[in-house]
Amino acid sequence: MKRSVAILSSAVLVVALLTGCGKGDDNAEASKPTNQNQPAQAGDQANANDPLAQFPKLNLPFSVDPNAAVVEYQGGTLSGKEFETFLRVINFLNPMQGQMIEVADQEMLKTFAREFTATKILAAKADAAIEKESRETAEKSFDKIKGQYLSLLGKDEAKFDKLMENQGVSKDVVIDQMTLINNSINVLKKNIDDAMLKKMYDGMNKESLTVASVRHILISTEKRKPEEALKLANDLAARLKKGEDFAKLAKEYSDDPGSKDTGGLYEDADVSQWVPEFKDAALNLPIGQISEPVKTDYGYHVMKVESRKQKSFDEMKEQLRAQALEQEYDKFGKTELDKLITKYNLPEPKPAAGQAKK
């Protein structure tokens, strides 16, 4: 899990529904449609007609006594019931993470348990003002999540209610869980002020701060000899310097599927994301000038920088706050959390946990 469960705010989790839903086999994308060239079975056809079928019940890969102490820590415990509820809510908020839960091995269960224990410990430090803010955010986020589900369920409230019932959660349970997560986040945020963020900003290099709008035409060397690609790139550069329309030539010649349909344009993009040669040209090419062919591992690029600027502190503040939040959580984990946890009593995963659900 690249990103800690404990610091996934409700607002972040909401986005999960927009990026893909449902559950498939281990090698399929969650939102990938059924192969329409295969004959449909009766059960498959029924599922295709039922939007609830894309959100099957979460099958936990273990059994645990609700009253058992799954994790013991200084000042409290994480019960089996709390752990199950947490995993079911995470699945409801992010169906794709539910797939990870169903195939979790012992180490992954420990990670989930550790993250939720961190959430409980941090949330316990919340005062009344934090609690109020966290619950209000959770309630608004629930409404957004519900709206996204309803858009996938034909605006059918009854189906949404059935979905929640199938998932073993309720509105109150979800809001309580999101409030707990938000409490833990807001407790960490108390340690993050503008002075800290400004120090982070001042320490960033030029590349990290620069955004540019760049047009390019990629002449790939994947299906051409390098000398053939270079000749075509030089020809196109010459035509562009004579005034031919960049967007038109990009749509006709570019081998970059990510920008071909936009006339070769990447607009207001972080230059730090690009490969070194392309990034260097984006940082240094004079505005409006047609480049000589720029060679990368992909082939030859003819480029034109249309605009370039460095993001201000105000523009970067929320991104820096998110980075600082990650750092605060990492610091808490390394310096406090594992000292506070005294014992894990994790349930054994079932043998079928490593198999995809049919």
Side-chain angles (χ1 to χ4, degrees), residues 43-259:
D44 294 336
Q45 187 62 44
N47 285 341
N49 295 329
D50 181 7
L52 284 176
Q54 64 183 314
F55 305 109
K57 179 181 179 181
L58 175 68
N59 290 323
L60 292 173
F62 61 85
S63 298
V64 65
D65 182 339
N67 297 315
V70 174
V71 181
E72 300 174 33
Y73 60 92
Q74 294 180 29
T77 62
L78 170 61
S79 72
K81 182 179 180 180
E82 287 178 306
F83 191 40
E84 283 199 21
T85 299
F86 168 69
L87 294 177
R88 293 195 184 281
V89 170
I90 289 297
N91 173 68
F92 172 76
L93 296 172
N94 187 343
M96 295 187 74
Q97 195 157 42
Q99 296 177 64
M100 293 174 58
I101 295 170
E102 289 194 338
V103 299
D105 57 16
Q106 189 79 359
E107 192 60 32
M108 191 173 290
L109 287 180
K110 182 177 180 180
T111 299
F112 276 112
R114 181 179 181 272
E115 299 294 340
F116 188 45
T117 301
T119 298
K120 286 192 66 179
I121 292 172
L122 288 168
K125 301 177 182 180
D127 57 25
I130 287 178
E131 171 73 26
K132 182 176 183 293
E133 178 187 350
S134 296
R135 186 162 293 277
E136 288 175 353
T137 300
E139 289 170 349
K140 292 176 183 177
S141 296
F142 179 85
D143 289 340
K144 292 180 182 178
I145 294 168
K146 179 179 178 179
Q148 290 179 352
Y149 268 119
L150 285 174
S151 71
L152 298 168
L153 298 172
K155 307 296 182 183
D156 191 328
E157 292 268 356
K159 279 189 170 62
F160 177 73
D161 293 341
K162 184 65 176 177
L163 182 147
M164 295 197 76
E165 179 185 340
N166 290 345
Q167 295 298 336
V169 296
S170 66
K171 177 179 178 179
D172 288 344
V173 165
V174 173
I175 289 176
D176 285 348
Q177 195 69 231
M178 287 195 293
T179 300
L180 192 72
I181 294 171
N182 290 342
N183 277 338
S184 69
I185 294 165
N186 289 329
V187 165
L188 288 174
K189 280 183 176 179
K190 288 178 67 177
N191 299 324
I192 302 170
D193 57 19
D194 281 4
M196 176 191 293
L197 300 181
K198 186 64 166 61
K199 185 176 180 180
M200 292 173 64
Y201 177 83
D202 291 339
M204 296 177 70
N205 59 36
K206 178 183 175 182
E207 294 176 7
S208 301
L209 292 172
T210 302
V211 293
S213 293
V214 178
R215 284 194 191 274
H216 83 125
I217 299 173
L218 168 64
I219 305 302
S220 173
T221 51
E222 183 179 355
K223 297 179 181 178
R224 299 181 186 86
K225 293 180 180 179
E227 57 270 24
E228 293 173 348
L230 178 58
K231 182 179 184 306
L232 179 53
N234 277 319
D235 289 344
L236 289 168
R239 291 171 65 180
L240 289 167
K241 289 176 182 179
K242 289 179 180 178
E244 289 197 42
D245 185 78
F246 204 123
K248 181 179 178 180
L249 291 181
K251 289 180 180 180
E252 183 176 353
Y253 289 100
S254 184
D255 294 319
D256 175 24
S259 66

